[in-house]
Amino acid sequence: MSQDDIIRELVTLRDYWRYAISCFNQAELSFGHGTTTAGDDAAFLLLDTLNLPIDALDPFLDARLLPSERKLLAERIETRVTTRKPTSYITGHAYIQGVRFHVDERVIVPRSHIGEILFSEYLGEQGSAYLPDPFAVESAVDICTGSGCLAVLAAKFFPNAVIDAVDLSADALEVAKINVTDHQVDEQVSLYRGDLFGPLKGKTYDLIITNPPYVDHASMDGFPPEHRAEPAMAHDGGEDGLDLVRKILAEAGDHLNPEGGMICEIGSGREILEEEFPHLDFFWLETAESQDAVFWISAEALGVTGQG
């Protein structure tokens, strides 16, 4: 079936959703960049392409599409199948808890559990038992910021805070700059290029946020094409996935204020971490998809005392 045939025969969003699901299943695509099934991935591609709310497919299913829209959708469905790139690279957007961010192949597609935790703690009805009062946070840093999405969210959640964001990749920081500008937090967020805490020159913070590369080499060897399309350095956590986490734990105390703490995403390395650091008091945070992928640790647990 030619693309002209597709554009002529398929006229509603429902038509294109069904067609995309069939194509994705036939091609045995992989998911995991914010979607987990062919149906969800197809819905995301269609809705984001048409600038429709990504969580509201049903109201638009029987809407007839313009010829230009049908052509664009057909092209993007074909691109998803033939290139195996994550859908976010095709539409140019990713979402964390409904907040839209620009992404492209210079950065990993953001899908951090930390965004969910921040939303549930600071936008919920109950206060947090571990994270600081959002209005009391005056300084925060996002280590390994990538696309800058967590730094942007931090600026929204901590209205009184100055936010620093660090990444080793100059390309990633260019994308982060786009998102900082798009979300109008330029005056609150500063971007730094460097290795972890390297460019921060002894600065200390009330809160450290970090979602570092934490995939082990065995897992990277088994990546499907969708994951291989992302920058390898954004995944590579060393042989067991925890090389950067160890470095961050070793340095974090030097960059925390006494009443502060750190929230860190590590993937599946809890057992290794707890065995290697039995003296550290990790508080594991539950999310919709995990019970032990993210931990909170206080400045006090990292040995920070007094005023400095």
Side-chain angles (χ1 to χ4, degrees):
M1 193 176 188
S2 71
Q3 192 171 94
D4 287 342
D5 291 333
I6 294 168
I7 295 169
R8 182 175 60 255
E9 296 295 332
L10 306 183
V11 296
T12 68
L13 191 61
R14 187 187 301 275
D15 292 338
Y16 280 89
W17 188 41
R18 196 285 307 159
Y19 173 68
I21 293 171
S22 295
C23 291
F24 292 0
N25 283 331
Q26 183 177 14
E28 298 183 343
L29 300 185
S30 294
F31 310 104
H33 295 85
T35 62
T36 56
T37 67
D40 287 345
D41 204 64
F44 173 70
L45 187 151
L46 302 181
L47 292 169
D48 195 45
T49 294
L50 297 174
N51 286 305
L52 294 171
I54 60 165
D55 57 353
L57 177 64
D58 287 352
F60 304 104
L61 277 173
D62 295 314
R64 293 175 62 87
L65 302 174
L66 295 171
S68 59
E69 294 173 327
R70 287 146 59 182
K71 181 174 185 293
L72 181 58
L73 291 180
E75 290 172 349
R76 289 190 168 181
I77 291 168
E78 182 178 8
T79 298
R80 177 71 175 93
V81 169
T82 56
T83 67
R84 297 288 299 268
K85 292 179 181 179
T87 296
S88 284
Y89 286 163
I90 297 169
T91 70
H93 302 111
Y95 294 75
I96 295 184
Q97 299 294 300
V99 180
R100 190 187 207 186
F101 295 96
H102 170 81
V103 296
D104 58 40
E105 285 148 300
R106 292 174 290 180
V107 295
I108 192 172
V109 177
R111 47 198 183 270
S112 174
H113 298 295
I114 294 176
E116 176 189 335
I117 291 167
L118 292 176
F119 263 88
S120 64
E121 292 300 327
Y122 293 115
L123 300 186
E125 295 181 357
Q126 297 182 346
S128 171
Y130 48 90
L131 296 179
D133 179 340
F135 293 98
V137 175
E138 297 182 352
S139 59
V141 61
D142 177 22
I143 300 296
C144 303
T145 195
S147 61
C149 56
L150 293 181
V152 169
L153 291 179
K156 295 176 182 291
F157 293 140
F158 310 119
N160 300 321
V162 173
I163 313 293
D164 290 339
V166 183
D167 205 281
L168 187 58
S169 167
D171 284 343
L173 289 174
E174 287 298 316
V175 177
K177 184 177 180 181
I178 293 171
N179 285 315
V180 167
T181 300
D182 286 351
H183 286 274
Q184 300 180 335
V185 292
D186 310 67
E187 295 184 2
Q188 199 175 352
V189 178
S190 299
L191 302 174
Y192 294 85
R193 185 185 180 193
D195 187 11
L196 304 180
F197 297 98
L200 299 177
K201 301 178 181 178
K203 298 177 71 173
T204 59
Y205 302 89
D206 295 330
L207 180 66
I208 296 171
I209 298 169
T210 181
N211 180 24
Y214 54 68
V215 182
D216 62 72
H217 286 171
S219 296
M220 289 186 67
D221 289 343
F223 270 176
E226 284 84 350
H227 287 75
R228 291 185 184 276
E230 298 178 295
M233 70 178 291
H235 286 294
D236 190 355
E239 188 63 31
D240 67 0
L242 295 178
D243 283 2
L244 288 173
V245 176
R246 292 183 181 94
K247 292 180 180 178
I248 290 168
L249 281 170
E251 299 175 22
D254 294 333
H255 296 276
L256 278 172
N257 295 326
E259 300 301 318
M262 176 171 71
I263 184 169
C264 175
E265 184 167 332
I266 68 160
S268 60
R270 176 176 179 172
E271 267 189 42
I272 299 172
L273 206 63
E274 290 185 328
E275 183 176 350
E276 190 167 335
F277 299 95
H279 59 290
L280 293 183
D281 186 16
F282 299 109
F283 186 89
W284 297 93
L285 310 179
E286 185 174 350
T287 69
E289 297 181 359
S290 175
Q291 295 183 332
D292 53 10
V294 182
F295 68 80
W296 164 263
I297 189 165
S298 67
E300 182 181 7
L302 289 169
V304 180
T305 59
Q307 300 301 313

